[in-house]
mmCIF file with all atom_site columns, all heavy atoms in Angstrom:
data_model
loop_
_atom_site.group_PDB
_atom_site.id
_atom_site.type_symbol
_atom_site.label_atom_id
_atom_site.label_alt_id
_atom_site.label_comp_id
_atom_site.label_asym_id
_atom_site.label_entity_id
_atom_site.label_seq_id
_atom_site.pdbx_PDB_ins_code
_atom_site.Cartn_x
_atom_site.Cartn_y
_atom_site.Cartn_z
_atom_site.occupancy
_atom_site.B_iso_or_equiv
_atom_site.pdbx_formal_charge
_atom_site.auth_seq_id
_atom_site.auth_comp_id
_atom_site.auth_asym_id
_atom_site.auth_atom_id
_atom_site.pdbx_PDB_model_num
ATOM 1   N N   . VAL A 1 39 ? 96.631  40.912 -26.470 1.00 94.00 ? 285 VAL A N   1
ATOM 2   C CA  . VAL A 1 39 ? 96.456  40.392 -25.109 1.00 94.00 ? 285 VAL A CA  1
ATOM 3   C C   . VAL A 1 39 ? 95.826  39.001 -25.157 1.00 94.00 ? 285 VAL A C   1
ATOM 4   O O   . VAL A 1 39 ? 96.250  38.088 -24.435 1.00 94.00 ? 285 VAL A O   1
ATOM 5   C CB  . VAL A 1 39 ? 95.602  41.359 -24.254 1.00 94.00 ? 285 VAL A CB  1
ATOM 6   C CG1 . VAL A 1 39 ? 95.146  40.703 -22.971 1.00 94.00 ? 285 VAL A CG1 1
ATOM 7   C CG2 . VAL A 1 39 ? 96.386  42.621 -23.938 1.00 94.00 ? 285 VAL A CG2 1
ATOM 8   N N   . GLU A 1 40 ? 94.833  38.829 -26.021 1.00 93.00 ? 286 GLU A N   1
ATOM 9   C CA  . GLU A 1 40 ? 94.190  37.523 -26.153 1.00 93.00 ? 286 GLU A CA  1
ATOM 10  C C   . GLU A 1 40 ? 95.154  36.477 -26.681 1.00 93.00 ? 286 GLU A C   1
ATOM 11  O O   . GLU A 1 40 ? 95.057  35.304 -26.332 1.00 93.00 ? 286 GLU A O   1
ATOM 12  C CB  . GLU A 1 40 ? 92.971  37.613 -27.076 1.00 93.00 ? 286 GLU A CB  1
ATOM 13  C CG  . GLU A 1 40 ? 91.773  38.266 -26.433 1.00 93.00 ? 286 GLU A CG  1
ATOM 14  C CD  . GLU A 1 40 ? 90.564  38.296 -27.352 1.00 93.00 ? 286 GLU A CD  1
ATOM 15  O OE1 . GLU A 1 40 ? 90.529  37.509 -28.320 1.00 93.00 ? 286 GLU A OE1 1
ATOM 16  O OE2 . GLU A 1 40 ? 89.661  39.102 -27.100 1.00 93.00 ? 286 GLU A OE2 1
ATOM 17  N N   . ALA A 1 41 ? 96.109  36.899 -27.527 1.00 93.00 ? 287 ALA A N   1
ATOM 18  C CA  . ALA A 1 41 ? 97.094  35.975 -28.101 1.00 93.00 ? 287 ALA A CA  1
ATOM 19  C C   . ALA A 1 41 ? 98.268  35.740 -27.151 1.00 93.00 ? 287 ALA A C   1
ATOM 20  O O   . ALA A 1 41 ? 99.208  35.032 -27.502 1.00 93.00 ? 287 ALA A O   1
ATOM 21  C CB  . ALA A 1 41 ? 97.595  36.519 -29.429 1.00 93.00 ? 287 ALA A CB  1
ATOM 22  N N   . ASN A 1 42 ? 98.232  36.322 -25.958 1.00 92.00 ? 288 ASN A N   1
ATOM 23  C CA  . ASN A 1 42 ? 99.289  36.205 -24.946 1.00 92.00 ? 288 ASN A CA  1
ATOM 24  C C   . ASN A 1 42 ? 100.644 36.691 -25.460 1.00 92.00 ? 288 ASN A C   1
ATOM 25  O O   . ASN A 1 42 ? 101.680 36.136 -25.104 1.00 92.00 ? 288 ASN A O   1
ATOM 26  C CB  . ASN A 1 42 ? 99.401  34.761 -24.443 1.00 92.00 ? 288 ASN A CB  1
ATOM 27  C CG  . ASN A 1 42 ? 98.191  34.363 -23.638 1.00 92.00 ? 288 ASN A CG  1
ATOM 28  O OD1 . ASN A 1 42 ? 97.606  35.177 -22.948 1.00 92.00 ? 288 ASN A OD1 1
ATOM 29  N ND2 . ASN A 1 42 ? 97.808  33.102 -23.740 1.00 92.00 ? 288 ASN A ND2 1
ATOM 30  N N   . ASP A 1 43 ? 100.641 37.730 -26.285 1.00 89.00 ? 289 ASP A N   1
ATOM 31  C CA  . ASP A 1 43 ? 101.856 38.321 -26.816 1.00 89.00 ? 289 ASP A CA  1
ATOM 32  C C   . ASP A 1 43 ? 102.161 39.585 -26.006 1.00 89.00 ? 289 ASP A C   1
ATOM 33  O O   . ASP A 1 43 ? 101.852 40.696 -26.425 1.00 89.00 ? 289 ASP A O   1
ATOM 34  C CB  . ASP A 1 43 ? 101.658 38.643 -28.299 1.00 89.00 ? 289 ASP A CB  1
ATOM 35  C CG  . ASP A 1 43 ? 102.961 39.001 -28.984 1.00 89.00 ? 289 ASP A CG  1
ATOM 36  O OD1 . ASP A 1 43 ? 103.992 39.091 -28.280 1.00 89.00 ? 289 ASP A OD1 1
ATOM 37  O OD2 . ASP A 1 43 ? 102.944 39.198 -30.210 1.00 89.00 ? 289 ASP A OD2 1
ATOM 38  N N   . THR A 1 44 ? 102.783 39.405 -24.835 1.00 89.00 ? 290 THR A N   1
ATOM 39  C CA  . THR A 1 44 ? 102.916 40.511 -23.887 1.00 89.00 ? 290 THR A CA  1
ATOM 40  C C   . THR A 1 44 ? 103.828 41.632 -24.380 1.00 89.00 ? 290 THR A C   1
ATOM 41  O O   . THR A 1 44 ? 103.515 42.806 -24.182 1.00 89.00 ? 290 THR A O   1
ATOM 42  C CB  . THR A 1 44 ? 103.429 40.006 -22.528 1.00 89.00 ? 290 THR A CB  1
ATOM 43  O OG1 . THR A 1 44 ? 104.657 39.286 -22.731 1.00 89.00 ? 290 THR A OG1 1
ATOM 44  C CG2 . THR A 1 44 ? 102.411 39.109 -21.864 1.00 89.00 ? 290 THR A CG2 1
ATOM 45  N N   . ASP A 1 45 ? 104.949 41.279 -25.014 1.00 91.00 ? 291 ASP A N   1
ATOM 46  C CA  . ASP A 1 45 ? 105.884 42.317 -25.447 1.00 91.00 ? 291 ASP A CA  1
ATOM 47  C C   . ASP A 1 45 ? 105.239 43.242 -26.482 1.00 91.00 ? 291 ASP A C   1
ATOM 48  O O   . ASP A 1 45 ? 105.319 44.467 -26.373 1.00 91.00 ? 291 ASP A O   1
ATOM 49  C CB  . ASP A 1 45 ? 107.147 41.685 -26.037 1.00 91.00 ? 291 ASP A CB  1
ATOM 50  C CG  . ASP A 1 45 ? 107.958 40.948 -24.983 1.00 91.00 ? 291 ASP A CG  1
ATOM 51  O OD1 . ASP A 1 45 ? 107.807 41.298 -23.789 1.00 91.00 ? 291 ASP A OD1 1
ATOM 52  O OD2 . ASP A 1 45 ? 108.720 40.041 -25.345 1.00 91.00 ? 291 ASP A OD2 1
ATOM 53  N N   . ASN A 1 46 ? 104.624 42.634 -27.478 1.00 93.00 ? 292 ASN A N   1
ATOM 54  C CA  . ASN A 1 46 ? 103.970 43.444 -28.508 1.00 93.00 ? 292 ASN A CA  1
ATOM 55  C C   . ASN A 1 46 ? 102.744 44.161 -27.948 1.00 93.00 ? 292 ASN A C   1
ATOM 56  O O   . ASN A 1 46 ? 102.421 45.259 -28.387 1.00 93.00 ? 292 ASN A O   1
ATOM 57  C CB  . ASN A 1 46 ? 103.560 42.574 -29.701 1.00 93.00 ? 292 ASN A CB  1
ATOM 58  C CG  . ASN A 1 46 ? 104.765 42.108 -30.496 1.00 93.00 ? 292 ASN A CG  1
ATOM 59  O OD1 . ASN A 1 46 ? 105.801 42.754 -30.493 1.00 93.00 ? 292 ASN A OD1 1
ATOM 60  N ND2 . ASN A 1 46 ? 104.631 40.980 -31.164 1.00 93.00 ? 292 ASN A ND2 1
ATOM 61  N N   . ALA A 1 47 ? 102.071 43.553 -26.983 1.00 94.00 ? 293 ALA A N   1
ATOM 62  C CA  . ALA A 1 47 ? 100.893 44.189 -26.374 1.00 94.00 ? 293 ALA A CA  1
ATOM 63  C C   . ALA A 1 47 ? 101.304 45.457 -25.629 1.00 94.00 ? 293 ALA A C   1
ATOM 64  O O   . ALA A 1 47 ? 100.601 46.467 -25.692 1.00 94.00 ? 293 ALA A O   1
ATOM 65  C CB  . ALA A 1 47 ? 100.188 43.225 -25.438 1.00 94.00 ? 293 ALA A CB  1
ATOM 66  N N   . LYS A 1 48 ? 102.440 45.409 -24.938 1.00 94.00 ? 294 LYS A N   1
ATOM 67  C CA  . LYS A 1 48 ? 102.914 46.591 -24.214 1.00 94.00 ? 294 LYS A CA  1
ATOM 68  C C   . LYS A 1 48 ? 103.286 47.713 -25.178 1.00 94.00 ? 294 LYS A C   1
ATOM 69  O O   . LYS A 1 48 ? 102.988 48.885 -24.931 1.00 94.00 ? 294 LYS A O   1
ATOM 70  C CB  . LYS A 1 48 ? 104.095 46.233 -23.321 1.00 94.00 ? 294 LYS A CB  1
ATOM 71  C CG  . LYS A 1 48 ? 103.684 45.433 -22.105 1.00 94.00 ? 294 LYS A CG  1
ATOM 72  C CD  . LYS A 1 48 ? 104.839 45.113 -21.199 1.00 94.00 ? 294 LYS A CD  1
ATOM 73  C CE  . LYS A 1 48 ? 104.347 44.294 -20.017 1.00 94.00 ? 294 LYS A CE  1
ATOM 74  N NZ  . LYS A 1 48 ? 105.435 43.920 -19.117 1.00 94.00 ? 294 LYS A NZ  1
ATOM 75  N N   . ALA A 1 49 ? 103.917 47.348 -26.285 1.00 94.00 ? 295 ALA A N   1
ATOM 76  C CA  . ALA A 1 49 ? 104.274 48.353 -27.292 1.00 94.00 ? 295 ALA A CA  1
ATOM 77  C C   . ALA A 1 49 ? 103.009 48.934 -27.922 1.00 94.00 ? 295 ALA A C   1
ATOM 78  O O   . ALA A 1 49 ? 102.919 50.148 -28.139 1.00 94.00 ? 295 ALA A O   1
ATOM 79  C CB  . ALA A 1 49 ? 105.161 47.720 -28.354 1.00 94.00 ? 295 ALA A CB  1
ATOM 80  N N   . ALA A 1 50 ? 102.046 48.075 -28.202 1.00 95.00 ? 296 ALA A N   1
ATOM 81  C CA  . ALA A 1 50 ? 100.790 48.539 -28.796 1.00 95.00 ? 296 ALA A CA  1
ATOM 82  C C   . ALA A 1 50 ? 100.016 49.401 -27.804 1.00 95.00 ? 296 ALA A C   1
ATOM 83  O O   . ALA A 1 50 ? 99.330  50.348 -28.199 1.00 95.00 ? 296 ALA A O   1
ATOM 84  C CB  . ALA A 1 50 ? 99.947  47.352 -29.241 1.00 95.00 ? 296 ALA A CB  1
ATOM 85  N N   . TYR A 1 51 ? 100.138 49.075 -26.507 1.00 96.00 ? 297 TYR A N   1
ATOM 86  C CA  . TYR A 1 51 ? 99.462  49.878 -25.479 1.00 96.00 ? 297 TYR A CA  1
ATOM 87  C C   . TYR A 1 51 ? 100.001 51.303 -25.470 1.00 96.00 ? 297 TYR A C   1
ATOM 88  O O   . TYR A 1 51 ? 99.235  52.261 -25.323 1.00 96.00 ? 297 TYR A O   1
ATOM 89  C CB  . TYR A 1 51 ? 99.622  49.238 -24.097 1.00 96.00 ? 297 TYR A CB  1
ATOM 90  C CG  . TYR A 1 51 ? 99.120  50.135 -22.991 1.00 96.00 ? 297 TYR A CG  1
ATOM 91  C CD1 . TYR A 1 51 ? 97.754  50.326 -22.801 1.00 96.00 ? 297 TYR A CD1 1
ATOM 92  C CD2 . TYR A 1 51 ? 99.994  50.821 -22.165 1.00 96.00 ? 297 TYR A CD2 1
ATOM 93  C CE1 . TYR A 1 51 ? 97.285  51.173 -21.806 1.00 96.00 ? 297 TYR A CE1 1
ATOM 94  C CE2 . TYR A 1 51 ? 99.539  51.660 -21.171 1.00 96.00 ? 297 TYR A CE2 1
ATOM 95  C CZ  . TYR A 1 51 ? 98.186  51.833 -20.996 1.00 96.00 ? 297 TYR A CZ  1
ATOM 96  O OH  . TYR A 1 51 ? 97.722  52.672 -20.024 1.00 96.00 ? 297 TYR A OH  1
ATOM 97  N N   . GLN A 1 52 ? 101.319 51.450 -25.642 1.00 96.00 ? 298 GLN A N   1
ATOM 98  C CA  . GLN A 1 52 ? 101.913 52.788 -25.686 1.00 96.00 ? 298 GLN A CA  1
ATOM 99  C C   . GLN A 1 52 ? 101.318 53.606 -26.831 1.00 96.00 ? 298 GLN A C   1
ATOM 100 O O   . GLN A 1 52 ? 100.959 54.772 -26.671 1.00 96.00 ? 298 GLN A O   1
ATOM 101 C CB  . GLN A 1 52 ? 103.432 52.699 -25.855 1.00 96.00 ? 298 GLN A CB  1
ATOM 102 C CG  . GLN A 1 52 ? 104.152 52.083 -24.677 1.00 96.00 ? 298 GLN A CG  1
ATOM 103 C CD  . GLN A 1 52 ? 104.085 52.947 -23.437 1.00 96.00 ? 298 GLN A CD  1
ATOM 104 O OE1 . GLN A 1 52 ? 104.063 54.162 -23.536 1.00 96.00 ? 298 GLN A OE1 1
ATOM 105 N NE2 . GLN A 1 52 ? 104.037 52.332 -22.279 1.00 96.00 ? 298 GLN A NE2 1
ATOM 106 N N   . SER A 1 53 ? 101.203 52.967 -27.989 1.00 95.00 ? 299 SER A N   1
ATOM 107 C CA  . SER A 1 53 ? 100.637 53.642 -29.158 1.00 95.00 ? 299 SER A CA  1
ATOM 108 C C   . SER A 1 53 ? 99.164  53.979 -28.946 1.00 95.00 ? 299 SER A C   1
ATOM 109 O O   . SER A 1 53 ? 98.711  55.080 -29.271 1.00 95.00 ? 299 SER A O   1
ATOM 110 C CB  . SER A 1 53 ? 100.806 52.750 -30.384 1.00 95.00 ? 299 SER A CB  1
ATOM 111 O OG  . SER A 1 53 ? 100.193 53.318 -31.496 1.00 95.00 ? 299 SER A OG  1
ATOM 112 N N   . ALA A 1 54 ? 98.411  53.027 -28.399 1.00 96.00 ? 300 ALA A N   1
ATOM 113 C CA  . ALA A 1 54 ? 96.985  53.248 -28.153 1.00 96.00 ? 300 ALA A CA  1
ATOM 114 C C   . ALA A 1 54 ? 96.793  54.361 -27.135 1.00 96.00 ? 300 ALA A C   1
ATOM 115 O O   . ALA A 1 54 ? 95.899  55.207 -27.291 1.00 96.00 ? 300 ALA A O   1
ATOM 116 C CB  . ALA A 1 54 ? 96.332  51.961 -27.666 1.00 96.00 ? 300 ALA A CB  1
ATOM 117 N N   . SER A 1 55 ? 97.635  54.379 -26.110 1.00 96.00 ? 301 SER A N   1
ATOM 118 C CA  . SER A 1 55 ? 97.548  55.408 -25.080 1.00 96.00 ? 301 SER A CA  1
ATOM 119 C C   . SER A 1 55 ? 97.776  56.794 -25.692 1.00 96.00 ? 301 SER A C   1
ATOM 120 O O   . SER A 1 55 ? 97.088  57.761 -25.346 1.00 96.00 ? 301 SER A O   1
ATOM 121 C CB  . SER A 1 55 ? 98.584  55.126 -24.000 1.00 96.00 ? 301 SER A CB  1
ATOM 122 O OG  . SER A 1 55 ? 98.553  56.109 -23.013 1.00 96.00 ? 301 SER A OG  1
ATOM 123 N N   . LYS A 1 56 ? 98.713  56.869 -26.617 1.00 96.00 ? 302 LYS A N   1
ATOM 124 C CA  . LYS A 1 56 ? 99.000  58.132 -27.294 1.00 96.00 ? 302 LYS A CA  1
ATOM 125 C C   . LYS A 1 56 ? 97.791  58.593 -28.110 1.00 96.00 ? 302 LYS A C   1
ATOM 126 O O   . LYS A 1 56 ? 97.413  59.767 -28.062 1.00 96.00 ? 302 LYS A O   1
ATOM 127 C CB  . LYS A 1 56 ? 100.217 57.939 -28.197 1.00 96.00 ? 302 LYS A CB  1
ATOM 128 C CG  . LYS A 1 56 ? 100.759 59.198 -28.795 1.00 96.00 ? 302 LYS A CG  1
ATOM 129 C CD  . LYS A 1 56 ? 102.035 58.896 -29.555 1.00 96.00 ? 302 LYS A CD  1
ATOM 130 C CE  . LYS A 1 56 ? 102.592 60.146 -30.178 1.00 96.00 ? 302 LYS A CE  1
ATOM 131 N NZ  . LYS A 1 56 ? 103.813 59.904 -30.936 1.00 96.00 ? 302 LYS A NZ  1
ATOM 132 N N   . HIS A 1 57 ? 97.167  57.655 -28.827 1.00 97.00 ? 303 HIS A N   1
ATOM 133 C CA  . HIS A 1 57 ? 95.983  57.997 -29.627 1.00 97.00 ? 303 HIS A CA  1
ATOM 134 C C   . HIS A 1 57 ? 94.822  58.448 -28.729 1.00 97.00 ? 303 HIS A C   1
ATOM 135 O O   . HIS A 1 57 ? 94.106  59.397 -29.052 1.00 97.00 ? 303 HIS A O   1
ATOM 136 C CB  . HIS A 1 57 ? 95.541  56.799 -30.468 1.00 97.00 ? 303 HIS A CB  1
ATOM 137 C CG  . HIS A 1 57 ? 96.286  56.665 -31.751 1.00 97.00 ? 303 HIS A CG  1
ATOM 138 N ND1 . HIS A 1 57 ? 97.525  56.040 -31.822 1.00 97.00 ? 303 HIS A ND1 1
ATOM 139 C CD2 . HIS A 1 57 ? 95.990  57.068 -33.005 1.00 97.00 ? 303 HIS A CD2 1
ATOM 140 C CE1 . HIS A 1 57 ? 97.937  56.063 -33.071 1.00 97.00 ? 303 HIS A CE1 1
ATOM 141 N NE2 . HIS A 1 57 ? 97.029  56.684 -33.812 1.00 97.00 ? 303 HIS A NE2 1
ATOM 142 N N   . ILE A 1 58 ? 94.654  57.756 -27.607 1.00 97.00 ? 304 ILE A N   1
ATOM 143 C CA  . ILE A 1 58 ? 93.568  58.095 -26.683 1.00 97.00 ? 304 ILE A CA  1
ATOM 144 C C   . ILE A 1 58 ? 93.787  59.492 -26.098 1.00 97.00 ? 304 ILE A C   1
ATOM 145 O O   . ILE A 1 58 ? 92.860  60.309 -26.039 1.00 97.00 ? 304 ILE A O   1
ATOM 146 C CB  . ILE A 1 58 ? 93.454  57.036 -25.566 1.00 97.00 ? 304 ILE A CB  1
ATOM 147 C CG1 . ILE A 1 58 ? 92.981  55.697 -26.154 1.00 97.00 ? 304 ILE A CG1 1
ATOM 148 C CG2 . ILE A 1 58 ? 92.502  57.496 -24.477 1.00 97.00 ? 304 ILE A CG2 1
ATOM 149 C CD1 . ILE A 1 58 ? 93.080  54.522 -25.197 1.00 97.00 ? 304 ILE A CD1 1
ATOM 150 N N   . ASP A 1 59 ? 95.024  59.772 -25.669 1.00 96.00 ? 305 ASP A N   1
ATOM 151 C CA  . ASP A 1 59 ? 95.335  61.084 -25.107 1.00 96.00 ? 305 ASP A CA  1
ATOM 152 C C   . ASP A 1 59 ? 95.116  62.191 -26.129 1.00 96.00 ? 305 ASP A C   1
ATOM 153 O O   . ASP A 1 59 ? 94.608  63.271 -25.807 1.00 96.00 ? 305 ASP A O   1
ATOM 154 C CB  . ASP A 1 59 ? 96.784  61.131 -24.615 1.00 96.00 ? 305 ASP A CB  1
ATOM 155 C CG  . ASP A 1 59 ? 96.971  60.403 -23.299 1.00 96.00 ? 305 ASP A CG  1
ATOM 156 O OD1 . ASP A 1 59 ? 95.979  60.256 -22.557 1.00 96.00 ? 305 ASP A OD1 1
ATOM 157 O OD2 . ASP A 1 59 ? 98.105  59.984 -23.013 1.00 96.00 ? 305 ASP A OD2 1
#
Side-chain angles (χ1 to χ4, degrees):
V285 167
E286 285 182 19
N288 291 326
D289 191 355
T290 55
D291 293 336
N292 289 334
K294 287 182 181 178
Y297 171 73
Q298 294 293 327
S299 176
S301 179
K302 189 175 179 181
H303 276 83
I304 292 169
D305 284 337

